[in-house]
Every structure is written in structure tokens, then in C-alpha cells.
Amino acid sequence: MVTDRHGGTPGAILWHARRTPHAVAVVEAGRRLTWQAVADQLAWTVGYLEAGGIRRGMLVGVEMGSRRHATLLLLLACEVLGATATAFARPDLGQDDPVLPGCERLILIGTELAADGCPGRPSAATVIVPNDFPDMIRGPVSHHRLSEPPDAERIVRISRTSGSTGRPKAVPITYAVQQRIIAQRMASVPEDVAAKARFLCLYSLSVRGVYTRAYAALQAGGTVFFAHREDLPALLAAGAVNWVLTIVGDAQAIAVQADRPCGDATLLYEMIGARVPRALRALLRRRLGATVQVTYSSNETNTVSFTDDDDVGTLVPGAEARIVDAEGRAVPMGETGLIRVRTATMATGYWNDPVQTAAAFVDGWYHTNDVGFIPAPGRLVVHGRSDDMLNVGGIKVPPGPIEDELKALPDIRDAALISIAGPTGDDTLLVAAEVGADVSMDGLRAAVGPIVQRYVQSFALLPLPSFPRTDTGKIRRGEIEAAFRRRLT
């Protein structure tokens, strides 16, 4: 069970290291690291960063390296030192970023920035951490900093959304909110999973849904497995993990490829990044015997509701929802409108962005820009984004239900519908399909046509081996449109 008696994740690591020093806390690339080893590595990392000038109150950028265990140590060390951390990849330094230009330090893994830097990169001092730094410890280290009580109202992380469209947003969270997120997550985990959590971490620790689950597993005394997607079938079949989080696009392939875990232990399967079709939920249950949880959440609010098989959500404790019209006026229960929510784990605004904050955070509510309705108190139905409805030559086309039908076809891993304006003002419905190399264009069109032509007779078809995506699996529709236009020239 997760409590805050240990002082967050660093304090929990130290507590477990003293109680069960030889139990396994982290597995990466087949290497098993005990609680004692992780506590020693974290204490060493704290000292290394402190010697590099990281101080309380600093805003620090932490580069995401190839070793996620190393990234975990860096992020937690910043937390111990009282710095506010934001995770980044090296290409982010040349982008229009809402946080990185204000960083006082950049923690880089392995190499310094080039002398001429990157366009638009922050003028921050850098701390270079060797590629193999988790393995550099020699001799005893002091753990006393790991048990220092945290400041509940200090901002510990700023999550920067890469964004499927538009300028990235940055959402700060305090230590207290981070702990509430972790406690809320563990409260929804089945008891037998929570008692011995073995969380499979496939993605970057820059994603809040990923790192908070990793922190939750560690605080509960469980194990975090840092692995890659191709490792998952074997790990599932062996029963090595009991808690999985993937993007929706990966879940379909995993459900087909993986064998049912051995034994009767519960497997918790969660998905992020997109709508979760009912057929996919059923497939995961049938193939893997999984307990499937589907949440409605956002980076700004965290979890709002858990969605049942009838696609009706149940609000989590501390969450409220209201439905308003385009002018912000409340509509009667049962009527469709724009969804506003507030939760015990929501942010109060965006980092240094008063304009976007004023537009999205209204009178203590977060304006989701989603459309839905409240069928009964404590319940919520989400139809999708208000700006997702496509207008194709005056015909309104709902992409969500059509995409779900297309993804249920045997040859299509994922699908995206995009309305594209032509040079003369005419509109084209583009159907992008993520398919294997052996799928023929004629066969694909024959399968897609009967579904799409219930709405529009004419459409363009773009098969792709994989979709461009954000870190949380959202499809970058603008990049797909650009790829389609390049094929026209």
C-alpha cells in the first residue's frame, strides 16, 4: 500500500533498502538491482548533482537517456535536492518550448552540447553525467539526504506535452499533488497486484502516466521492469509482470502476439493515448485474461473517471464534472455539451502561460474541450474532442466511431481520419491506415470502402507502416497530412 510516511519515492527506496535490502527493486536489460543497490545509486547521484551545482529551487532540465533506470535516478535526485525537474530529449532544445529556455541547469548524459549549441537552446549551465554513471559507485555512500522530509507545496515536476497539434503546454505539479496521484492510482489497482506490484515500464519517464506508476510501484515495495515492446510477450508468458501500461496502438499487436500468462495471478492492463475500442478490451481479456482498466484523464487533471464496457464512465473520488454550452452556461443533465471537470489532482494552470491558463482553467474548473453528457450523478459519457468532428464538403463526419470500425478490420493496426482542404476549397476525407507491407492497396480499399461510404462516397486512402506519434501515443495528424500532400506533388 502507498502512504507518505516514508517521504515520497526517495524515502520509500531507503525504507525498503533497510527492511529488505536484497529484494529486487528494478530490472533492466536482464539485470536485477536490489533495494540496497538502488538506494546506493540514488544517494551517489544526489551527491554528484549537488557537486554539479544543482540546488533547492532551481529549474532543471533532465535529458532522457537510453537507460531509463539512469533517468529515474536523475529525476529522483532532483526531487531530493529540492529542484524542479522537467524531462527532455536533445532535439527539444531547438524547438519552441515553454520550459527549457528558463532552465538554470541542464543535466546531459554522456556528452556536452556542441559549441554553437542548438537554435533557441537555453543559456543554462550543463551538468554532464557519464553514460555508465549508475555503475560508478565505489565504496560506501551516505543515505541521509534520502530521508529528508519534502516540502508539500514545492513544484517537483513540470510535464511538457509534446502535443499532437499546436504549441506544447507545460503543467507543473507540487509534491503533494504528485503523492495524491500516486495514492489514487494504487487505490484502483487490484489488491493482489498492489501487494506485489511488478510494473512493466515500456516508455519514457517524461510521460506523467508512466513515471507516476513507476513511483507508485516502488513506494509500494514492488518492482519496476524497464523493457522494450519486443520483450513484452515473453515477460507476460512467464508471469514476470502483473501491471502493464501501453499506448492503444501497441495493445492490439501485443494482444495478438502474446501468450496468456502462466498461473492464476491477476494481470492489470492499462492503455493511454487514444480511445480504447470495445473490441480491443475484449481481445485483451480473452487472449491474456487481463483485468482491463480504461480511464478518462488528461495531463491537467489526471484521472477523471473509469470507463465501463458500456462506455459510461464512473467519476473517481474527488472528481466532479459539469456540462456547459458554447457560452459556458450549464445544460440540463442528459444533454450533450462541453465537458468541464475538477479533481483533487488537477493543476491550477500552465507554466508561465497566462493566456492558455485563462482559456482552459475557468472558475476552478478545467475546460477539457471534449464533448459529452452526464447520464446520472457521478457518471460521465465522453463522445470525443469538440474540434474532432470533420466537415467534408458540408457533411459532418464523426471520426471516432469510424476509426474504431476500421481498427477492427484484420489488416489494420490503427486508423486516422483527416479532412483535407484542396487548393480550390474542396474537401477530401483522407483515411490513413497503419498496415503491414503485405497488404495490397486494392484489398485495403475494398475493406475500408463500405465503412467510410456510409458517410461520404469519395475518399483518399493512405497506407503507412507506422503513424507518427507523440510520447503518449497520440497520432500526429498534421504530419500524416503533410505526408499525403508530399505524395501528391
Side-chain angles (χ1 to χ4, degrees):
M1 179 179 179
V2 172
T3 69
D4 203 23
R5 69 180 185 275
H6 306 311
T9 309
I13 289 172
L14 180 59
W15 188 86
H16 291 299
R18 290 170 172 169
R19 182 169 174 266
T20 55
H22 304 299
V24 177
V26 170
V27 177
E28 185 176 47
R31 185 180 179 189
R32 302 167 73 83
L33 298 170
T34 66
W35 286 105
Q36 186 65 61
V38 174
D40 289 347
Q41 290 174 339
L42 179 55
W44 185 92
T45 306
V46 169
Y48 189 93
L49 295 188
E50 190 170 35
I54 304 299
R55 298 288 184 267
R56 179 173 295 275
M58 275 187 172
L59 176 58
V60 178
V62 178
E63 183 180 11
M64 299 288 98
S66 59
R67 296 182 64 182
R68 279 163 290 163
H69 172 53
T71 299
L72 175 73
L73 295 173
L74 292 172
L75 292 170
L76 291 177
C78 287
E79 189 170 310
V80 170
L81 291 169
T84 298
T86 189
F88 73 95
R90 193 71 64 100
D92 294 337
L93 296 174
Q95 305 301 315
D96 179 19
D97 190 275
V99 183
L100 290 176
C103 286
E104 299 168 76
R105 290 288 191 279
L106 293 180
I107 300 174
L108 304 176
I109 299 176
T111 57
E112 174 66 275
L113 292 171
D116 57 353
C118 298
R121 80 167 181 87
S123 56
T126 57
V127 179
I128 309 300
V129 180
N131 285 311
D132 58 349
F133 83 88
D135 306 319
M136 294 177 61
I137 301 173
R138 298 292 184 271
V141 293
S142 173
H143 300 91
H144 75 279
R145 297 295 300 271
L146 306 189
S147 59
E148 292 180 359
D151 178 359
E153 298 310 313
R154 180 175 58 83
I155 295 173
V156 291
R157 286 291 295 271
I158 300 178
S159 295
R160 296 156 43 260
T161 62
S162 53
S164 52
T165 59
R167 185 174 187 266
K169 299 174 183 176
V171 182
I173 61 168
T174 64
Y175 171 81
V177 169
Q178 179 172 278
Q179 282 303 114
R180 286 200 292 271
I181 294 170
I182 291 169
Q184 181 191 76
R185 173 54 48 202
M186 288 305 291
S188 68
V189 171
E191 288 185 9
D192 55 343
V193 174
K196 189 58 177 176
R198 301 187 301 277
F199 174 64
L200 180 65
C201 184
L202 294 180
Y203 306 119
S204 168
L205 292 173
S206 64
V207 180
R208 180 176 297 175
V210 175
Y211 79 76
T212 52
R213 284 167 173 82
Y215 286 10
L218 291 172
Q219 290 190 31
T223 305
V224 176
F225 286 72
F226 292 112
H228 300 285
R229 185 188 169 284
E230 58 269 22
D231 303 322
L232 180 51
L235 290 170
L236 285 176
V241 296
N242 60 4
W243 185 1
V244 177
L245 174 75
T246 70
I247 60 175
V248 174
D250 281 343
Q252 180 80 32
I254 288 167
V256 172
Q257 296 170 2
D259 293 324
R260 194 182 188 94
C262 60
D264 298 325
T266 301
L267 170 65
L268 173 61
Y269 203 114
E270 299 184 89
M271 286 164 281
I272 57 174
R275 291 165 52 96
V276 183
R278 295 185 191 182
L280 178 56
R281 302 175 217 173
L283 181 62
L284 288 166
R285 294 189 183 108
R286 185 173 67 253
R287 291 276 301 158
L288 303 179
T291 296
V292 179
Q293 283 188 355
V294 178
T295 59
Y296 172 57
S297 61
S298 72
N299 206 37
E300 292 83 357
T301 63
N302 298 286
T303 303
V304 175
S305 63
F306 286 97
T307 306
D308 299 330
D309 281 349
D310 59 1
D311 289 330
V312 178
T314 300
L315 297 179
V316 301
E320 301 174 77
R322 65 188 304 188
I323 309 298
V324 300
D325 61 19
E327 283 72 44
R329 297 173 300 213
V331 304
M333 184 178 296
E335 289 192 13
T336 297
L338 297 168
I339 300 172
R340 288 182 179 175
V341 299
R342 59 185 177 192
T343 70
T345 54
M346 70 185 288
T348 57
Y350 296 115
W351 180 259
N352 288 346
D353 197 332
V355 174
Q356 287 199 95
T357 295
F361 294 85
V362 181
D363 297 328
W365 295 80
Y366 174 64
H367 187 74
T368 67
N369 205 32
D370 290 330
V371 174
F373 68 96
I374 296 174
R379 306 279 275 170
L380 179 65
V381 174
V382 182
H383 290 315
R385 302 289 292 173
S386 62
D387 52 5
D388 274 354
M389 188 69 71
L390 303 180
N391 188 329
V392 183
I395 300 173
K396 299 294 185 181
V397 179
I402 301 174
E403 290 171 351
D404 286 350
E405 283 193 70
L406 295 176
K407 285 183 280 189
L409 295 173
D411 290 331
I412 296 180
R413 294 191 299 268
D414 206 350
L417 268 63
I418 304 170
S419 178
I420 295 181
T424 60
D426 54 324
D427 298 317
T428 298
L429 179 64
L430 172 63
V431 179
E434 192 176 74
V435 297
D438 57 341
V439 176
S440 72
M441 191 71 165
D442 290 342
L444 188 62
R445 182 171 290 278
V448 167
I451 296 173
V452 175
Q453 288 172 335
R454 295 202 302 266
Y455 299 87
V456 294
Q457 286 301 305
S458 177
F459 64 93
L461 185 59
L462 177 64
L464 293 170
S466 63
F467 285 164
R469 299 179 185 275
T470 68
D471 286 342
T472 56
K474 292 182 179 178
I475 298 170
R476 296 184 184 271
R477 294 172 187 266
E479 293 184 22
I480 291 178
E481 179 177 348
F484 174 71
R485 292 188 183 280
R486 285 194 298 271
R487 295 193 181 193
L488 295 179
T489 59

